[in-house]
């Protein structure tokens, strides 16, 4: 059930690239200030427009009334590639709603994701939603060279 303040979730469009980029950059800066900044805002916007929006199913959460983007999730095959929220809306259930939307569009599971080992808030969020770390999955093969883990949501009958 939604009310007048509950963000609506809809499929993202190419025209949403700027808004998605802004959420991505603000979220990473606030939640993971220890990550190196490897790309300019313009390079990041190009990547969102030409890679994320072209290769993934993307859902956008936007404020009712203003239409301002507050979060997004991207599904690429069996992988949750991205789930980011604007820092000022964390703790309002928007991430859970975005994750539910992704799971709804990937009902046969399993669904996997990578999360930085130091991102304890994200790890706790995914664990609350049934994801479990895959034993022995740690790596630093990501662009940032930061230790990460693979998490997996096992398939559930009737999901």
């Amino acid at each position: 059930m939604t009310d007048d303040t509950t963000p609506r979730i809809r499929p993202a469009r190419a025209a949403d690239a700027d808004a998605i980029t802004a959420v991505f950059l603000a979220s990473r800066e606030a939640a993971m200030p220890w990550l190196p900044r490897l790309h300019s805002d313009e390079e990041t916007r190009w990547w969102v427009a030409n890679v994320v929006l072209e290769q993934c199913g993307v859902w956008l959460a936007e404020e009712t009334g203003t239409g301002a983007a507050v979060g997004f999730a991207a599904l690429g095959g069996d992988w949750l590639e991205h789930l980011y929220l604007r820092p000022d809306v964390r703790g309002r259930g928007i991430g859970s709603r975005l994750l539910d939307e992704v799971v709804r569009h990937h009902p046969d599971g399993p669904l996997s994701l990578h999360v930085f080992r130091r991102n304890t808030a994200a790890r706790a969020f995914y664990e609350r939603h049934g994801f479990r770390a895959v034993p022995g999955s740690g790596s630093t093969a990501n662009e940032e060279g930061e230790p990460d883990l693979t998490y997996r949501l096992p398939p559930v009958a009737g999901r």
Side-chain angles (χ1 to χ4, degrees), residues 99-153:
L99 184 57
D100 288 346
E101 191 70 17
V102 168
V103 170
R104 190 171 73 76
H105 282 85
H106 190 71
D108 299 324
L111 183 62
S112 300
L113 60 91
H114 294 293
V115 63
F116 293 116
R117 189 177 292 269
R118 283 201 281 175
N119 192 349
T120 56
R123 291 175 57 194
F125 170 82
Y126 292 120
E127 289 169 6
R128 281 194 310 274
H129 287 84
F131 284 81
R132 297 294 172 252
V134 175
S137 66
S139 169
T140 56
N142 55 69
E143 183 177 40
E144 294 86 355
E146 180 71 26
D148 66 16
L149 294 167
T150 300
Y151 272 64
R152 185 161 296 130
L153 180 66

Side-chain angles (χ1 to χ4, degrees), residues 65-78:
T66 68
V70 294
F72 76 96
L75 175 66
D78 294 335

Side-chain angles (χ1 to χ4, degrees), residues 5-8 16 18-32 59-73 82-96 98 121 125:
T5 62
T6 302
R8 99 179 160 122
D16 298 317
D18 287 342
I20 290 169
T21 301
V23 169
F24 178 83
L25 292 170
S27 180
R28 284 174 66 106
E29 184 177 316
M32 299 175 285
W59 293 270
L60 184 70
E62 57 187 11
E63 288 179 337
T64 304
T66 68
V70 294
F72 76 96
H82 308 283
L83 196 162
Y84 288 95
L85 299 177
R86 225 174 51 196
D88 61 314
V89 301
R90 288 182 62 194
R92 292 179 32 198
I94 299 165
S96 295
L98 282 165
F125 170 82

